[in-house]
């Protein structure tokens, strides 16, 4: 019994270590790969604003177009800028060594990023840029201190004048008792084209897309899993009956 308890404790320890993993507080983001509209908007953002620097070279354009139900011609016309064919991998022509010189670090491939860091982290990171004159590019990030990436979405979000509120609990209005979701950024040094909530939604879509790309068969796997469970349940009945039949005469 004691052995069993020891075993259990050691089995649980690594998981506790993960949960305790420190770092900045994050906003939570639960992806939904069945929301095709969100994934389509995310794909558009990703190709327009990220692929200039980041590749997604473990994904293929065609697969993305099919999974997201975007017609192939439409995808080719609007979402491939490199002249690549629809069947090719989502590479770009950024030279990694030169990029490392420019930004201090090369922009990593983002195919598996959502699995590497988790969707909470990515969602918070994308909304975490703020003005910081001490940095070479004039911006810093609350989730990734001293980040080398420029704030490429400044045209949409604007530039937050101070550290944005990421990972803070929503406060309760003392008068009405309503839950108040404070805007991520209270003061802007530069105004963007989107409002706070609009930008949050856009980053939700983008994170959703990155999450889909890191695990494109999630929906299919879950659907199959259900069939497997149903099969096992039905099979169990027959296995049980057969077992009874075999043992019927053994006393
Ligand atoms: C101008 C080039 C450039 C563009 C455009 C760009 N990034 Fe980056 N990104 C970088 C660089 C450089 C880094 C590495 C930063 C570092 O390590 O300090 C980076 C890092 C990241 C990271 C963190 C990687 C990690 O785990 O360390 C994520 C996530 C990311 N970018 C997402 C995006 C997304 C999403 C977009 C599109 C909205 C985007 N980036 C657009 C240059 C860019």
């Amino acid at each position: 019994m004691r052995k069993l308890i020891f075993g259990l404790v050691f089995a649980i320890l690594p998981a506790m270590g993960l949960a305790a993993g420190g770092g900045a507080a994050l906003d939570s983001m639960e992806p939904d790969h069945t929301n095709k509209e969100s994934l389509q908007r995310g794909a558009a953002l990703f190709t327009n604003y990220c692929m200039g620097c980041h590749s997604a070279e473990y994904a293929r354009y065609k697969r993305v177009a099919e999974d997201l139900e975007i017609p192939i011609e439409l995808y080719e016309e609007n979402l491939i800028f490199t002249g690549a064919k629809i069947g090719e991998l989502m590479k770009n022509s950024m030279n990694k060594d030169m990029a490392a010189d420019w930004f201090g670090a090369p922009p990593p491939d983002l195919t598996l990023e959502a699995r590497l860091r988790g969707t909470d982290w990515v969602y918070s990171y994308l909304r975490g840029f703020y003005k910081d004159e001490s940095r070479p590019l004039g911006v810093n990030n609350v989730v990734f201190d001293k980040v080398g990436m420029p704030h490429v979405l400044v045209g949409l979000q604007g530039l937050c004048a101070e550290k944005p509120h990421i990972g803070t609990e929503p406060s309760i209005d003392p008068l009405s008792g309503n839950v108040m979701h404070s805007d991520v950024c209270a003061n802007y040094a530069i105004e963007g084209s989107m409002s706070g909530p609009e930008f949050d939604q856009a980053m939700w879509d983008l994170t959703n897309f990155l999450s889909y790309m890191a695990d494109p068969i999630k929906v299919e796997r879950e659907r199959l899993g259900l069939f497997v469970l149903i099969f096992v349940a039905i099979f169990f009945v027959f296995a049980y009956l057969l077992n009874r039949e075999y043992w019927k005469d053994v006393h």
Side-chain angles (χ1 to χ4, degrees), residues 45-54 94 99-100 102-110 113-114 116-117 121-122 125-126 129 135 137 144-150 152-153 203 206-207 210:
L45 283 167
F46 182 73
T47 356
N48 280 299
Y49 291 97
C50 318
M51 272 198 79
C53 293
H54 295 278
M94 171 75 78
W102 298 331
F103 305 115
D109 186 87
L110 290 185
E113 179 71 11
L116 177 72
R117 298 276 200 178
W121 189 92
V122 173
Y125 168 76
L126 291 173
F129 286 92
R135 300 290 307 146
L137 299 170
F144 189 149
D145 192 33
K146 304 197 173 54
V147 71
M149 174 167 141
V152 294
L153 297 167
M203 291 309 100
L206 181 52
T207 312
L210 287 173

Side-chain angles (χ1 to χ4, degrees), residues 10-21:
F10 279 109
I12 293 170
L13 265 182
M16 287 164 66
L18 255 185

Side-chain angles (χ1 to χ4, degrees), residues 18-61:
L18 255 185
L26 302 172
D27 284 344
S28 79
M29 189 280 170
E30 196 60 47
D32 174 8
H33 297 184
T34 60
N35 187 343
K36 297 271 156 68
E37 286 89 31
S38 157
L39 291 178
Q40 289 171 356
R41 290 192 299 266
L45 283 167
F46 182 73
T47 356
N48 280 299
Y49 291 97
C50 318
M51 272 198 79
C53 293
H54 295 278
S55 54
E57 59 187 36
Y58 304 104
R60 253 175 231 286
Y61 293 110

